[in-house]
Amino acid sequence: MTTNKGYVMDKTQPHPLFKLATELGPLLVFFVANAKFHLFVATGAFMVAIVVAMVASYVVTRHVPIMALVTGAIVLVFGTLTLVLHDETFIKLKPTIIYGLLRAVLGAGYCSALLHRRHVRPDVQSDAAGWRILTLRWALFFAGMAVLNEIVWRTQTTDSG
């Protein structure tokens, strides 16, 4: 462990900014590439950025979070379909699928207590009733995000002009 301006670096718990960079960095790369070029360039850049983020996570922590693996797999599969078939539909479906999976996992956890707080977020202090309410709210949030993504990609254009 090393100290960096009051923060103790622990290989299993990297600096919060590292986690933020590996989670949001690929998305930022996608949006910048999409704004400067077009959706197909952005999709390729996104795929590369996702792989770089997962490799960086593994190098620093010797672990890649399960959600990063699932998201990365979906991005790579749907990104490849987008590029190979030259069809924007696949990359536009990706958020709906990810949100739907999250909603399904949280819904299953809510209904059957599969997801216990000590496995998902041990740092959150809550009783069982509070955890169930939080799980339900997140499941509803992701369901809403999936519906919103479907509305947006089906009614809006990707053209900037």
Side-chain angles (χ1 to χ4, degrees):
M1 283 191 216
T2 60
T3 303
N4 183 4
K5 295 191 180 192
Y7 183 80
V8 177
M9 297 296 285
D10 178 1
K11 283 283 206 178
T12 59
Q13 293 296 322
H15 194 282
L17 290 178
F18 175 80
K19 186 175 179 185
L20 185 67
T22 56
E23 290 177 359
L24 296 181
L27 195 57
L28 183 62
V29 167
F30 175 81
F31 285 125
V32 169
N34 192 43
K36 287 191 154 285
F37 304 103
H38 54 78
L39 188 63
F40 296 106
V41 170
T43 299
F46 190 35
M47 292 167 66
V48 170
I50 285 279
V51 171
V52 168
M54 287 190 296
V55 168
S57 181
Y58 183 77
V59 166
V60 170
T61 66
R62 295 288 182 239
H63 174 263
V64 179
I66 189 70
M67 203 52 228
L69 290 171
V70 170
T71 301
I74 292 170
V75 166
L76 293 174
V77 168
F78 281 81
T80 300
L81 289 170
T82 297
L83 297 176
V84 169
L85 301 175
H86 207 72
D87 185 349
E88 298 176 354
T89 304
F90 297 105
I91 202 67
K92 292 176 180 179
L93 278 173
K94 181 205 61 88
T96 300
I97 291 167
I98 290 173
Y99 294 142
L101 284 172
L102 286 169
R103 189 260 168 252
V105 167
L106 289 169
Y110 177 81
C111 293
S112 66
L114 284 174
L115 296 176
H116 194 271
R117 65 182 172 269
R118 73 173 172 254
H119 300 301
V120 179
R121 290 295 307 264
D123 57 326
V124 174
Q125 299 297 318
S126 177
D127 61 6
W131 186 251
R132 285 181 56 84
I133 291 168
L134 182 63
T135 302
L136 177 62
R137 288 179 180 169
W138 274 109
L140 292 172
F141 169 78
F142 286 122
M145 291 299 291
V147 169
L148 180 62
N149 186 67
E150 284 298 301
I151 291 168
V152 169
W153 85 260
R154 291 175 188 274
T155 62
Q156 305 300 307
T157 180
T158 53
D159 297 334
S160 59

